[in-house]
Amino acid sequence: MEAIFLNILNMSLTAGYCAGIVLCIRQLFIRHFPKVYSYILWLVVFARLALPFSYETIYSFVPIRSKTIPTNISVIHQMSAGNDQMHSAANELFSTPFINADVAAGGNRLQIAVCVAAWVWLAAAVGLVCYGIVSYNILKYKLKESVQTQGQIYESNKIPSPFVMGFIKPRIYLPAGLSGREREYVLCHEQVHIKRCDYLVKQIAFLIVCVHWFNPMAWISLWFMCRDMELSCDEQVLKAFGRNSEQIMPYKKEYAAALLSLASGRNIRISGGLFFGDGNVKKRIQNVLGFQRPKRIITYISVILIILAAVGLMGNKKPDQPITVDEAAIMEEINLPYIYFIPEAYWAGIEGLADGEHAYPIILATEDVYDNGDGTMASMIADLYVLTEEGLIKLGEISSGGTAYPLSYSKAGIFMNSGHTGSRCTINTKTWELEIAESVAVSYDENGTDTFTYSLGDKTQESNEEEFLAFFDKYMPESVVVNFMENSNQYIYFNF
């Protein structure tokens, strides 16, 4: 639940920036454009609110990254492999290699806060959705005695203004007593809504805002989107009644009069239908009276500009340069006696770590080292870090089973071994978790029978001694032991 909530926060933050940009574009650059263009840009904002993925581009208008808040900000993953207690539980270990630290019991206030916030968010979102469903059904019950006049058109004496309502088969509801030109304008307006599927757009947008209820920019976007939806629909109706400015002129006054007479005088619930008199009637009348049919060249230019704006809003900013490793700052932040930076030639190629054109530096840190006999200061246990665009992320603790099997690495992964187990680990850049990509294990019982297992990802199967030994023969010759004394003047930070 916490990971979902943090992902929603990231999406909401990114979309909030997009909404602010659209507001600026709307007010400064396309203020006098047909409102259909600003309506389209608001749809882009809601796409950013709804979609958990995007793409990177140098043309992005969004100044922040898609994961400003790390999704594992409050979770510490601990990992243990190859210790002396594994002899009778190797299979269980490799089937569930990761243990989330019980940080609540340990007093991790951040995780408690995130957990509480996640449940509050979920409760409020569900409450808003339920409110929308209830109010929709109340309105639907109110209309059950409406009379069908023709096709999808219904009349009722219990509604103050015409509107569209429905999902699969939308209906147009008219207040009783409409006739003549007024009825013609209303039907044309509502049919434009149906043709453009505005009735679905508004319902979906409301559900999206229920998810992002805590973000004021989501509510502002909904208000402006509904407003531009109505303004653009008004303009479309005027286009249908006249092909040039002279032909449109007589219809403007009549249409404005229809808006004024049919205005509901109140804001209709978002969960209801698309009301003809819904929204800022004064603004709509001003827009109608000032509407001019755009020239063809202006239309072409407007379309190109809106497409470019949509592309820039949908993408995230692509990093101009690879991540800079500030070793002194990292050593100060980690604050452990021994720190080792895996060389770029290795971390840039480790399976699962490279993300498109970008790879992420790996750092190991420990407070206990030993001399393994050949001058290498190795360790059996260390904290594993990855440096990302969002900063330094601690993935957890890794350990091997004895001084004969120190921590090591190659381009195939990071290795943790003992006399009874061997595991090749990779890093998942989507969740920032250390994962066992491949492992072998052997356990013994009192009868002297060896039980071998082999694991590839989530799949574990029985194995044999040959496969067990082949794992070490395949990976160990090319692996490099993590030497915490290597380049000591540069890589080791002593904490006295």
Side-chain angles (χ1 to χ4, degrees):
M1 178 59 68
E2 290 89 341
I4 295 174
F5 174 62
L6 291 173
N7 277 321
I8 294 295
L9 279 180
N10 281 315
M11 293 163 58
S12 199
L13 183 60
T14 304
Y17 271 95
C18 291
I21 294 170
V22 171
L23 276 175
C24 292
I25 293 175
R26 184 185 186 277
Q27 294 301 115
L28 300 178
F29 301 105
I30 61 173
R31 185 174 183 178
H32 301 294
F33 282 28
K35 294 303 181 286
V36 66
Y37 300 122
S38 51
Y39 176 36
I40 292 171
L41 290 182
W42 289 121
L43 295 181
V44 174
V45 172
F46 279 94
R48 292 306 305 259
L49 285 168
L51 299 177
F53 55 84
S54 184
Y55 59 89
E56 289 186 345
T57 173
I58 60 175
Y59 304 107
S60 174
F61 298 155
V62 184
I64 62 173
R65 304 195 186 282
S66 59
K67 289 188 177 180
T68 303
I69 305 172
T71 53
N72 64 343
I73 189 173
S74 62
V75 181
I76 301 175
H77 296 282
Q78 293 182 331
M79 183 171 184
S80 177
N83 55 50
D84 295 336
Q85 299 177 356
M86 287 182 57
H87 297 179
S88 62
N91 290 342
E92 180 180 356
L93 173 69
F94 283 107
S95 63
T96 56
F98 294 99
I99 304 173
N100 288 337
D102 187 4
V103 291
N108 190 326
R109 296 181 180 179
L110 179 59
Q111 186 178 17
I112 295 174
V114 171
C115 181
V116 171
W119 285 106
V120 170
W121 159 75
L122 181 62
V126 171
L128 282 171
V129 172
C130 291
Y131 167 78
I133 294 173
V134 170
S135 59
Y136 183 90
N137 281 282
I138 290 175
L139 182 59
K140 187 176 180 180
Y141 177 80
K142 187 177 181 180
L143 298 169
K144 69 176 184 177
E145 296 180 358
S146 58
V147 179
Q148 184 178 16
T149 58
Q150 65 180 83
Q152 60 186 159
I153 303 171
Y154 291 76
E155 287 188 358
S156 173
N157 57 6
K158 295 183 179 181
I159 57 175
S161 180
F163 62 91
V164 173
M165 186 177 180
F167 294 97
I168 299 176
K169 295 181 179 180
R171 296 176 177 181
I172 298 174
Y173 290 91
L174 305 177
L178 285 183
S179 61
R181 181 69 74 178
E182 193 175 54
R183 181 185 177 92
E184 187 178 358
Y185 285 135
V186 167
L187 289 177
C188 185
H189 180 98
E190 305 303 346
Q191 286 165 354
V192 170
H193 277 316
I194 293 175
K195 184 177 180 180
R196 300 193 313 190
C197 295
D198 289 341
Y199 59 95
L200 289 178
V201 170
K202 194 170 184 179
Q203 306 293 347
I204 294 172
F206 175 71
L207 290 176
I208 293 172
V209 172
C210 289
V211 175
H212 297 271
W213 59 266
F214 54 86
N215 187 348
M217 292 303 294
W219 293 100
I220 292 172
S221 299
L222 180 62
W223 189 87
F224 273 102
M225 187 206 73
C226 293
R227 178 175 173 176
D228 289 341
M229 176 193 292
E230 294 299 331
L231 292 174
S232 64
C233 191
D234 293 337
E235 294 172 349
Q236 191 65 32
V237 172
L238 293 176
K239 287 182 183 180
F241 279 89
R243 297 186 177 182
N244 54 55
S245 299
E246 293 182 358
Q247 290 180 344
I248 292 177
M249 185 60 66
Y251 300 107
K252 289 182 179 180
K253 295 180 180 180
E254 295 177 352
Y255 191 81
L259 279 172
L260 186 60
S261 65
L262 291 171
S264 61
R266 60 187 176 85
N267 290 325
I268 305 300
R269 291 184 179 89
I270 293 170
S271 55
L274 289 164
F275 285 74
F276 180 79
D278 191 15
N280 191 329
V281 177
K282 179 179 178 181
K283 178 64 179 177
R284 290 177 63 185
I285 291 175
Q286 290 174 344
N287 188 66
V288 166
L289 295 177
F291 175 73
Q292 298 291 332
R293 193 179 185 95
K295 296 180 180 180
R296 184 171 297 180
I297 184 64
I298 299 298
T299 300
Y300 292 153
I301 294 174
S302 301
V303 170
I304 293 173
L305 291 177
I306 294 302
I307 290 175
L308 293 176
V311 171
L313 290 169
M314 281 299 297
N316 293 322
K317 191 69 175 178
K318 187 175 183 179
D320 297 327
Q321 297 179 348
I323 300 172
T324 301
V325 181
D326 187 341
E327 296 171 357
I330 291 174
M331 289 189 292
E332 184 177 356
E333 181 177 352
I334 293 177
N335 195 29
L336 284 175
Y338 305 100
I339 297 177
Y340 181 83
F341 294 80
I342 292 182
E344 182 178 356
Y346 288 92
W347 58 253
I350 285 182
E351 178 185 336
L353 189 61
D355 183 12
E357 299 179 359
H358 312 291
Y360 301 91
I362 306 174
I363 302 101
L364 290 164
T366 185
E367 57 184 2
D368 296 311
V369 296
Y370 64 90
D371 187 344
N372 66 357
D374 62 357
T376 300
M377 299 303 292
S379 179
M380 296 178 293
I381 184 169
D383 292 333
L384 179 67
Y385 296 84
V386 170
L387 182 63
T388 72
E389 293 92 341
E390 289 79 24
L392 196 64
I393 297 178
K394 181 180 178 181
L395 302 186
E397 184 181 89
I398 56 176
S399 64
S400 281
T403 57
Y405 301 95
L407 300 172
S408 62
Y409 62 90
S410 74
K411 288 186 176 180
I414 301 171
F415 300 99
M416 300 179 292
N417 304 297
S418 73
H420 308 291
T421 64
S423 57
R424 177 175 66 89
C425 302
T426 59
I427 297 171
N428 187 327
T429 57
K430 303 299 183 184
T431 60
W432 291 120
E433 294 179 343
L434 189 66
E435 298 178 344
I436 292 183
E438 185 178 3
S439 63
V440 292
V442 57
S443 60
Y444 307 97
D445 58 24
E446 296 178 354
N447 298 325
T449 302
D450 302 345
T451 302
F452 295 90
T453 58
Y454 171 76
S455 299
L456 184 63
D458 297 332
K459 298 180 179 179
T460 301
Q461 62 187 35
E462 292 186 6
S463 184
N464 51 51
E465 184 175 5
E466 289 75 19
E467 195 168 35
F468 176 84
L469 297 175
F471 175 88
F472 295 91
D473 293 339
K474 178 180 179 180
Y475 293 116
M476 292 305 101
E478 297 181 357
S479 68
V480 179
V481 174
V482 178
N483 184 3
F484 288 93
M485 289 299 294
E486 190 177 32
N487 299 321
S488 59
N489 293 333
Q490 184 177 6
Y491 288 150
I492 296 184
Y493 171 74
F494 292 96
N495 184 19
F496 294 104

